[in-house]
Amino acid sequence: MKAVVWHGVGDIRLDEVPDPKILEPSDAIVRITRSAICGTDLHVVRGTMPGMVPGTILGHEAVGVVEEVGPAVRGFTPGDRVVVTSTIGCGTCSYCRAGYYAQCDTANPNGPSAGTSFFGGPESTGPVDGLQAEYARVPFAMTTLVRVPDAVTDDQAILLSDIFPTAWFGARLAEVGRGDSVLVLGAGVVGQFAIASAKRQGAGRVLVVDGVASRLDKAREQNAETVDYTREDPVALVKELTGGIGVDRVIEAVGVDAQRPKTGPAAERAEELADTFERERGRAASESNPDGDLWVPGDAPSQALRWAVEAVAKAGSIGVIGVYPPGFDGFPLGEAMNKNLTLRMGNCNHRRYLPDLLDTVVSGAVDPTELITRHADTTTAIEAYESFDRRAEGWLKTVLDVA
């Protein structure tokens, strides 16, 4: 079968690889009909998420059809349409039973203290081969798969594999409540769903910061108040728009690759905040891939977190769903402590939220396909990665049509 395979930093290829097989009684084999490229995939390609094993198939979002099940899989049969949850949980340990599927004690082969196991990730997460392929082995299928209702299309379902649940989780982490003012940092596809999630969880007002015009246009379609950090100082403007107080809640949907602004009112101030570690880190990463085909060094990865802390009101709360790898230490802890802030973060417990979000799609309350801006097939997957990595105009969410 064909699959997108990681060979090294900046080096991914469309390879012919063996078809997956049932390895455990709780496994299922799924024929993939839709997959997608996510910002987390870019982290592993750029090297900002270290520890990738060469030969690992990428991708953690998929919809497909069950082809084969192991003897312990009693709730699915070949032919069932399913969505694959990005994080893997056994469904029976104490963490899964409490809804913390991303901290399953069993799914990660590196042991209970290794943390989240997800498809297509680094060695610390398994590794478990990913979903940008024609077929995939799905561990703990009874928990990791969710049946797709007939009324939900594959295009709608693919955005519930990771993106919509993650954004919903971010609003929950930020403790969004009725009437709250909410700031979303990042207007990529997760940020767009964070806007929708905050509104559905009761927010009275949503502001969003980004520097890509098409993404800000999309945010305005949801009646979010937009801030272009290439032209405006986001912290100063948020304070101005909130009477000098700041917002009640922040959802950080950017992560480690948040770059320091190069132009505009925020640039000079951000330059002062970029320390030697951040500059050296970006330089070293750039030197590891001198051609720079897919690498965009994030030379100030703490910028979004700094904006979050500065823009939120005293005693406010911040939910972090942007990806930060182990070893990251750029959070402004002192400033947060002095403001009595609440900070919550983590990998989404997708299985906890996905069934209810499917119901919102069935009801017509949300149509995820409005945020799909590009389709590609597997033969053009590498080119799609390059365009997405460059944040090319109009490349908000790319879906791979596998079959």
Side-chain angles (χ1 to χ4, degrees), residues 153-170:
T153 68
D154 284 1
D155 277 356
Q156 290 174 320
I158 186 59
L159 293 183
L160 276 71
S161 179
D162 176 22
I163 301 302
F164 196 178
T166 295
W168 188 269
F169 176 60

Side-chain angles (χ1 to χ4, degrees), residues 306 309 329-341 343:
R306 294 181 187 277
V309 169
D329 60 358
F331 182 73
L333 184 61
E335 293 90 332
M337 183 173 184
N338 283 342
K339 293 179 73 173
N340 277 47
L341 301 185
L343 175 69

Side-chain angles (χ1 to χ4, degrees), residues 41 49 51 85 95 195 205 230 232 258 268 311 320 322 324 357:
D41 298 324
M49 183 177 287
T85 62
Y95 285 97
I195 295 168
R205 186 181 187 189
T230 69
E232 305 161 306
E268 182 177 347
V320 181
Y324 290 89
L357 295 179

Side-chain angles (χ1 to χ4, degrees), residues 260-341:
R260 173 166 47 88
K262 301 298 189 297
T263 60
E268 182 177 347
R269 186 162 170 271
E271 178 69 37
E272 297 171 357
L273 294 173
D275 60 28
T276 302
F277 169 78
E278 291 167 335
R279 289 194 297 272
E280 289 301 317
R281 178 182 173 280
R283 184 178 300 115
S286 182
E287 290 171 355
S288 73
N289 182 28
D291 293 333
D293 293 335
L294 291 176
W295 175 265
V296 180
D299 54 0
S302 66
Q303 186 62 62
L305 291 175
R306 294 181 187 277
W307 283 345
V309 169
E310 293 172 2
V312 73
K314 294 184 295 183
S317 54
I318 301 170
V320 181
I321 49 175
V323 174
Y324 290 89
F328 176 82
D329 60 358
F331 182 73
L333 184 61
E335 293 90 332
M337 183 173 184
N338 283 342
K339 293 179 73 173
N340 277 47
L341 301 185

Side-chain angles (χ1 to χ4, degrees), residues 122-346:
E123 186 173 17
S124 61
T125 69
V128 179
D129 271 328
L131 307 175
Q132 290 171 6
E134 294 180 284
Y135 295 88
R137 180 182 76 90
V138 177
F140 304 105
M142 286 305 302
T143 303
T144 311
L145 297 179
V146 176
R147 192 186 307 274
V148 178
D150 291 341
V152 176
T153 68
D154 284 1
D155 277 356
Q156 290 174 320
I158 186 59
L159 293 183
L160 276 71
S161 179
D162 176 22
I163 301 302
F164 196 178
T166 295
W168 188 269
F169 176 60
R172 293 289 296 270
L173 289 176
E175 302 178 345
V176 174
R178 189 156 304 282
D180 283 345
S181 58
V182 179
L183 173 65
V184 176
L185 292 171
V189 68
V190 176
Q192 300 292 338
F193 274 109
I195 295 168
S197 297
K199 286 178 175 290
R200 290 192 64 81
Q201 292 181 34
R205 186 181 187 189
V206 179
L207 297 83
V208 61
V209 174
D210 204 285
V212 179
S214 60
R215 296 182 175 188
L216 294 172
D217 289 342
K218 182 63 72 173
R220 277 191 289 272
E221 291 178 11
Q222 298 193 69
N223 299 118
E225 301 175 59
T226 58
V227 179
D228 183 346
Y229 71 73
T230 69
R231 299 189 305 159
E232 305 161 306
D233 184 321
V235 174
L237 186 56
V238 168
K239 289 290 186 69
E240 179 184 334
L241 293 173
T242 56
I245 297 171
V247 292
D248 302 306
R249 319 291 173 203
V250 176
I251 303 171
E252 200 277 73
V254 184
V256 69
D257 281 331
Q259 287 184 280
R260 173 166 47 88
K262 301 298 189 297
T263 60
E268 182 177 347
R269 186 162 170 271
E271 178 69 37
E272 297 171 357
L273 294 173
D275 60 28
T276 302
F277 169 78
E278 291 167 335
R279 289 194 297 272
E280 289 301 317
R281 178 182 173 280
R283 184 178 300 115
S286 182
E287 290 171 355
S288 73
N289 182 28
D291 293 333
D293 293 335
L294 291 176
W295 175 265
V296 180
D299 54 0
S302 66
Q303 186 62 62
L305 291 175
R306 294 181 187 277
W307 283 345
V309 169
E310 293 172 2
V312 73
K314 294 184 295 183
S317 54
I318 301 170
V320 181
I321 49 175
V323 174
Y324 290 89
F328 176 82
D329 60 358
F331 182 73
L333 184 61
E335 293 90 332
M337 183 173 184
N338 283 342
K339 293 179 73 173
N340 277 47
L341 301 185
T342 297
L343 175 69
R344 300 176 69 200
M345 68 195 83

